[in-house]
Amino acid sequence: MSHREAASEGDPISSRIYYVDSSDPRGELVDRAQISDADMQQIGRLMTALGRLRDAERTLLEASQAYMKLSEQDMRALHYLIVAQNEDTIATPGAIAQHLGISAASTTKLLNRLEAGGHIVREVHPADRRAFAIRVTPETRDAAMSTMGRQQAKRIHSAARLTADERETVTRFLDDMAREISVSAEDWAQQAQ
């Protein structure tokens, strides 16, 4: 049971935290004129389910980080390196920096930390002797795959239980929601950076 689920059991506020009529009762954020009460209740249940998913992901990430003794960024870098190896693609510091959205200096620090911990190996790039090829060690790959990887892979079971049309609907919904909440065009978000 997640922290939110435990909190929701005895707390009427937590159980309705994602319901629009609870968080926006005066319609300041969401115009509900064309949405029925039944639809609003169903949307509230959907948003609550998304909240449970985020909680489960957060709990899984925290458990994996504690087990591996790594930061979230370290874990993201290792995931990238595992996929690169699975795809027979040479991972470079520049590619890792781009994937993580961090500077070259931050990437160097990250790679130094991972190398010191025995998680990665840096080798001379086979096609460019001035560059490095980065790969995850077999021990770290095995540890990541048998913990977080195995747990994350269980999502496939949920997706497989849907019909092809349902998967398309869910994909469209998630992509649409990502576009709706994107802050890329919001002045307030740009000012915060």
Side-chain angles (χ1 to χ4, degrees), residues 73-74 76-81 84 90-114 120 122 132-134:
Q73 194 165 60
D74 294 342
R76 288 180 60 216
L78 291 175
H79 184 207
Y80 181 86
L81 292 168
I90 296 171
T92 63
I96 294 167
Q98 182 177 1
H99 174 70
L100 297 176
I102 60 176
S103 69
S106 294
T107 303
T108 298
K109 288 178 185 175
L110 177 137
L111 294 176
N112 288 345
R113 189 170 57 248
L114 290 175
I120 65 160
R122 285 186 247 210
F132 284 107
I134 313 297

Side-chain angles (χ1 to χ4, degrees), residues 25-101:
R26 291 180 287 285
E28 298 169 75
L29 303 173
V30 178
D31 178 6
R32 300 189 290 278
Q34 304 301 316
I35 306 172
S36 73
D37 287 343
D39 285 345
M40 287 307 301
Q41 291 303 306
Q42 187 179 39
I43 290 168
R45 291 191 304 276
L46 175 62
M47 294 302 138
T48 300
L50 284 172
R52 284 192 302 270
L53 175 60
R54 282 191 304 272
D55 287 347
E57 289 175 325
R58 189 177 308 113
T59 300
L60 174 57
L61 177 63
E62 289 168 358
S64 297
Q65 288 173 294
Y67 176 76
M68 303 273 303
K69 296 177 179 54
L70 296 168
S71 72
E72 180 177 353
Q73 194 165 60
D74 294 342
M75 297 289 285
R76 288 180 60 216
L78 291 175
H79 184 207
Y80 181 86
L81 292 168
I82 290 169
V83 172
Q85 280 181 229
N86 290 345
E87 297 280 324
D88 286 328
T89 301
I90 296 171
T92 63
I96 294 167
Q98 182 177 1
H99 174 70
L100 297 176

Side-chain angles (χ1 to χ4, degrees), residues 135 165 185:
R135 63 180 177 80
D165 287 343

Side-chain angles (χ1 to χ4, degrees), residues 150-168:
R150 184 169 312 287
Q151 204 66 22
Q152 289 279 14
K154 292 179 181 180
R155 295 172 186 233
I156 301 304
H157 302 301
S158 294
R161 285 189 286 271
L162 299 175
T163 66
D165 287 343
E166 289 171 330
R167 284 191 292 272
E168 288 301 321

